[in-house]
Amino acid sequence: MIDMVAENSHRVVVVGSAGRDLALGATTLPEAGASASVSERMERLGGKGANIASGVRQLSPESHVTLIAALGADRAGEAVLEDAHELGIDTASVARRGATSLFLDLVTGAGERRIFEHVPPEADVREEDLRRAAPVLEAARVVVLQLRQPAAVLLRAAQLAPNARIVLDGAVEGGADGAYGAPLLAHAHVVRANADEAEALTGRTIASTDDAQRAAEELLRRGPSVVALSVSGAGDLVAWEGGSQFFPFGDAPVVDRTGAGDAFVAGLVTGLIRDESARDLGRRASEAASTAVQQFGGFTRFTHE
Amino acid sequence: MIDMVAENSHRVVVVGSAGRDLALGATTLPEAGASASVSERMERLGGKGANIASGVRQLSPESHVTLIAALGADRAGEAVLEDAHELGIDTASVARRGATSLFLDLVTGAGERRIFEHVPPEADVREEDLRRAAPVLEAARVVVLQLRQPAAVLLRAAQLAPNARIVLDGAVEGGADGAYGAPLLAHAHVVRANADEAEALTGRTIASTDDAQRAAEELLRRGPSVVALSVSGAGDLVAWEGGSQFFPFGDAPVVDRTGAGDAFVAGLVTGLIRDESARDLGRRASEAASTAVQQFGGFTRFTHE
């Protein structure tokens, strides 16, 4: 019985996108009509949901991570499913239909990147996908809801996971005051948003640490215990009831910022699994994001832990 | 015996690149740091050699087309090999090693495209690949040498094909006067080059039809019977001993110029199989290229013939 509880405490579910990540690096962006030679190429499992799941699996080898996502019924889907298995992600709740999403991360020159996303409608998580995964959600202790998925489906996932601490990543459709904002924030234990997402959530412009502090306080009043907001070009503010800490971005050269947000969330989840304080969650998340920006492509290899 | 000759007259060999073509269409090129949604995506067999082979197969269903190329020993290689089989391309001479080349055709807005090429060193055709294909080259009546491959290998291919009319596509390493330029041009029946390639070949700037005419005359003196040079933004000049004709680009809106040169060569080859005059070759090639620019991606679907 004690073993059972111990095992359950490591049960994580991530609801979010999965697909194929194609990262291409060239020295410059060619002019229109011209061509460039690609010096670096990486192709593997990607998408925000899958990136978070693979980050947690690496940062917490003791975790059991179930990904709820939809991959295509195609070759690309097969290939990235193999990557997920290699990382030890539980893919029993991954639906297969349509074409696999493609995320192109085009890096031209030092850290200059552009993302091209091809996400077919079938790639969104559906309520029927949750129904199949209901026992897994019921047993979960941490559930990450990546907010690019349909809000109605995410809210249903939160309702199906009464034993979990819910992590929201992104901006809720319609903002904090919309039809889904209030109930999702009420379910949330942690809210994570970058500057744009925090603006979409709160309607406040986040240009400084002070702006982030005010937005975080506003979000804390709506339910969550921890709010982590990033300030573009500066760092991440992590706030909790009665306190906050700012984690400035590191000095290490940025190779590719893609995947940094996903790594940040994976760090938060790892701290939650280990019942750490909000300050420690923030430190762990900030370190994970720093590891990510020093690597090419959306996937991050975490060597420590 | 007569049947045998008739069949041989349709034997075409293409030596050139093959790989995976990924065409992505978005309405605009995002700013650095931003992302764009992809509205159109096509992924299939590509590369100049493969495009020419698939064009000939479609324009001349009676042809037997052998592709000499190298694909990766990977999933992507399997996938594009299936495409080749569906087009009826003979792939018995396609080597498999390393990783499959990737050609990204990024189309942002009306006809504005950028190409990103990832071509691993293993993707170049090698002399050992020709050795295996020697009987096929011996029997060939038309051999296309795509000049992005190593010149020494291409020259060897020409020597192994004494019964073939040789089509050179592109610019020879080192130009017309280089170590490979003279012997390759001496072997050539047709030379096809775009404006940049014609400049690399002849050292002349090709800015007008007159420039193209002078460059073509110079190339004709070095061996080939037909020279086809394009003039950027204007059209294609096709020249032969004692005559020439200029084929202006059509008025149809350009969707994506990628693959137009390959389609042009496929048109030339089709005319050669049918023993047409130089003028008719040019007309056929120009029409094929016009079909190509009206389609998204490097692959061209030819509905006529």
Side-chain angles (χ1 to χ4, degrees), chain A residues 20 22 24 30 32-38 41 43 75 79 82 100 102 104 112-118, chain B residues 20 22 24 30 32-38 41 43 75 82 100 102 104 106 112-118:
Chain A
R20 185 165 41 128
L22 174 62
L24 298 180
S35 64
S37 180
V38 169
R41 162 176 156 194
E43 190 164 1
R75 268 175 196 272
E82 268 180 29
T100 296
L102 175 69
L104 168 65
E112 182 181 292
R113 59 126 187 210
R114 289 171 175 83
I115 308 278
F116 293 85
E117 297 188 327
H118 185 251
Chain B
R20 185 165 43 128
L22 174 62
L24 298 179
S35 65
S37 180
V38 168
R41 162 176 156 194
E43 190 162 2
R75 268 175 197 274
E82 268 181 30
T100 295
L102 175 70
L104 169 65
L106 191 61
E112 181 181 292
R113 59 127 187 209
R114 289 171 175 83
I115 308 279
F116 293 84
E117 296 188 328
H118 185 251

Side-chain angles (χ1 to χ4, degrees), chain A residues 95-161:
Chain A
R96 301 290 302 278
R97 57 183 169 240
T100 296
S101 295
L102 175 69
F103 309 101
L104 168 65
D105 175 16
L106 191 60
V107 181
T108 48
E112 182 181 292
R113 59 126 187 210
R114 289 171 175 83
I115 308 278
F116 293 85
E117 297 188 327
H118 185 251
V119 180
E122 309 83 36
D124 276 348
V125 177
R126 297 175 182 168
E127 211 154 332
E128 72 210 50
D129 302 332
L130 298 182
R131 242 171 275 141
R132 270 197 307 272
V136 179
L137 284 161
E138 166 85 28
R141 293 305 167 94
V142 179
V143 170
V144 178
L145 303 177
Q146 213 297 317
L147 294 166
R148 297 246 198 128
Q149 297 301 310
V153 174
L154 295 176
L155 180 56
R156 188 77 194 111
Q159 291 161 346
L160 288 169

Side-chain angles (χ1 to χ4, degrees), chain A:
Chain A
M1 191 63 190
I2 285 165
D3 277 345
M4 189 69 185
V5 171
E7 193 189 285
N8 272 354
S9 74
H10 301 143
R11 292 196 163 267
V12 176
V13 173
V14 180
V15 185
S17 61
R20 185 165 41 128
D21 217 56
L22 174 62
L24 298 180
T27 43
T28 52
L29 181 75
E31 292 296 305
S35 64
S37 180
V38 169
S39 51
E40 207 166 358
R41 162 176 156 194
M42 198 172 79
E43 190 164 1
R44 51 166 304 131
L45 173 66
K48 288 183 160 290
N51 285 345
I52 293 168
S54 70
V56 175
R57 277 294 303 144
Q58 292 179 78
L59 291 169
S60 303
E62 76 277 22
S63 62
H64 182 103
V65 181
T66 301
L67 177 62
I68 301 182
L71 286 173
D74 52 12
R75 268 175 196 272
E78 283 307 314
V80 298
L81 212 51
E82 268 180 29
D83 291 341
H85 292 157
E86 276 169 29
L87 287 157
I89 296 169
D90 184 337
T91 61
S93 301
V94 172
R96 301 290 302 278
R97 57 183 169 240
T100 296
S101 295
L102 175 69
F103 309 101
L104 168 65
D105 175 16
L106 191 60
V107 181
T108 48
E112 182 181 292
R113 59 126 187 210
R114 289 171 175 83
I115 308 278
F116 293 85
E117 297 188 327
H118 185 251
V119 180
E122 309 83 36
D124 276 348
V125 177
R126 297 175 182 168
E127 211 154 332
E128 72 210 50
D129 302 332
L130 298 182
R131 242 171 275 141
R132 270 197 307 272
V136 179
L137 284 161
E138 166 85 28
R141 293 305 167 94
V142 179
V143 170
V144 178
L145 303 177
Q146 213 297 317
L147 294 166
R148 297 246 198 128
Q149 297 301 310
V153 174
L154 295 176
L155 180 56
R156 188 77 194 111
Q159 291 161 346
L160 288 169
N163 303 306
R165 285 186 286 185
I166 306 285
V167 179
L168 301 185
D169 175 41
V172 191
E173 279 175 43
D177 293 322
Y180 294 104
L184 275 170
L185 286 166
H187 273 286
H189 182 72
V190 182
V191 172
R192 153 71 183 173
N194 65 26
D196 288 345
E197 291 160 349
E199 288 183 29
L201 264 174
T202 63
R204 287 174 180 278
T205 304
I206 313 288
S208 68
T209 315
D210 284 350
D211 293 340
Q213 178 74 42
R214 276 188 289 272
E217 283 166 11
E218 189 179 319
L219 288 168
L220 284 170
R221 281 195 292 274
R222 292 166 185 265
S225 302
V226 181
V227 172
L229 304 181
S230 56
V231 182
S232 300
D236 293 286
L237 179 86
V238 177
W240 56 91
E241 180 69 39
S244 71
Q245 183 163 344
F246 184 70
F247 298 90
F249 292 150
D251 296 331
V254 171
V255 173
D256 179 10
R257 205 165 279 290
T258 308
D262 306 331
F264 191 95
V265 175
L268 289 176
V269 171
T270 298
L272 287 175
I273 292 174
R274 300 181 185 176
D275 261 326
E276 294 178 345
S277 69
R279 195 188 301 273
D280 286 348
L281 293 185
R283 183 191 45 75
R284 197 180 279 280
S286 167
E287 282 172 10
S290 167
T291 301
V293 301
Q294 295 172 56
Q295 294 179 32
F296 177 72
F299 173 76
T300 303
R301 192 168 300 282
F302 295 99
T303 48
H304 61 297
E305 297 189 280

